[in-house]
Amino acid sequence: WRRRDLCGCWAWRASGRASGDSARRRERCGRRCGAAPSSCASAARTRSRTQRAPRAPGPTRPCPPEEQTRGWWFSEQEADVFSALKEPTVCRGLEEALGTVAQALSQLGPFDGLLGFSQGAALAAVVCALGQAGDPRFPLPRFIILVSGFCPRGLGLKESILLGPLSLPSLHVFGDTDRVIPSEESVQLASRFTGAITVTHSGGHFIPAAVPQRQAYLKFLDQFAE
């Protein structure tokens, strides 16, 4: 997806200016060459006859924002990588992430609920655990919704806080075929909440929006309607 967005072939095809075999050729080309739409066809013909010359040495272009690795925190000191299923050597950026959330709660709140997805769900759970333990930066919301969440590892004292039950109402959504965060991880996180409600779907690592899930969301949220 990322490479097709950068080369423009996906967006160009989606705009309706190409169709049929022509669109498919441009899409295939964009996956590999990164060329602009107007040059995709010629680039494909040239590649079949010549070998690309090596790039001359020069300054490295800055990584565009959509290509930058993003996360609330990272598992290694020197690399922007994160693994939810392994004990990290560090939790680099976690304190900064908590500070960012605290600032948003202070300046933009109060909020009725929190919604977190994947690593964001783990962070939201930590925020609520800290709030329940008395951290004044994190007033407890009325509810929390966690999608494809997991119990964070390697958080030191914060991890021990998560060992106790969290009392606020919670809805936990996860996919049976999620290969990024296995469903067992989400079930474990749900077990830390008293009276947790779980909603499953047959898909993978995404926020489901089919009719059964929408009905579950509305049923859960109705209890907080004023």
Side-chain angles (χ1 to χ4, degrees):
W1 285 96
R2 185 175 297 165
R3 294 197 61 178
R4 279 184 284 177
D5 287 340
L6 286 177
C7 80
C9 289
W10 177 265
W12 189 77
R13 190 188 69 146
S15 69
R17 290 181 297 193
S19 60
D21 293 339
S22 177
R24 286 191 290 272
R25 284 197 300 270
R26 285 167 170 80
E27 184 181 354
R28 286 199 298 270
C29 177
R31 289 176 184 169
R32 297 189 296 267
C33 71
S38 60
S39 60
C40 280
S42 62
R45 289 194 298 270
T46 303
R47 187 167 48 245
S48 66
R49 298 191 302 267
T50 64
Q51 182 177 0
R52 180 178 294 176
R55 290 184 177 180
T60 303
R61 291 185 300 175
C63 188
E66 62 269 23
E67 286 283 285
Q68 295 174 5
T69 303
R70 303 178 69 179
W72 287 105
W73 72 91
F74 299 103
S75 305
E76 296 183 12
Q77 188 63 47
E78 303 298 332
D80 291 349
V81 296
F82 175 79
S83 174
L85 308 180
K86 298 179 181 179
E87 285 292 331
T89 57
V90 295
C91 292
R92 180 170 56 86
L94 176 61
E95 291 302 327
E96 291 84 349
L98 290 172
T100 298
V101 173
Q103 184 179 30
L105 293 174
S106 174
Q107 296 181 356
L108 305 175
F111 298 97
D112 289 320
L114 295 180
L115 167 66
F117 172 72
S118 195
Q119 191 190 43
L123 181 66
V126 172
V127 165
C128 290
L130 291 172
Q132 183 170 289
D135 192 324
R137 298 176 299 168
F138 304 114
L140 280 178
R142 298 173 65 191
F143 63 86
I144 188 170
I145 300 176
L146 303 177
V147 184
S148 297
F150 58 92
C151 288
R153 293 170 166 83
L155 301 184
L157 295 176
K158 299 177 183 62
E159 188 173 31
S160 65
I161 292 173
L162 284 177
L163 294 177
L166 297 174
S167 58
L168 75 163
S170 62
L171 177 66
H172 303 259
V173 186
F174 49 90
D176 294 331
T177 58
D178 193 333
R179 296 184 179 181
V180 179
I181 304 297
S183 59
E184 295 82 4
E185 295 286 328
S186 298
V187 170
Q188 183 184 33
L189 178 60
S191 70
R192 308 289 175 89
F193 289 80
T194 303
I197 299 174
T198 60
V199 174
T200 62
H201 60 95
S202 60
H205 197 66
F206 60 86
I207 300 178
V211 171
Q213 288 82 46
R214 293 203 303 268
Q215 291 175 341
Y217 302 153
L218 292 174
K219 181 178 179 180
F220 177 77
L221 292 173
D222 276 346
Q223 60 186 309
F224 307 104
E226 296 180 353

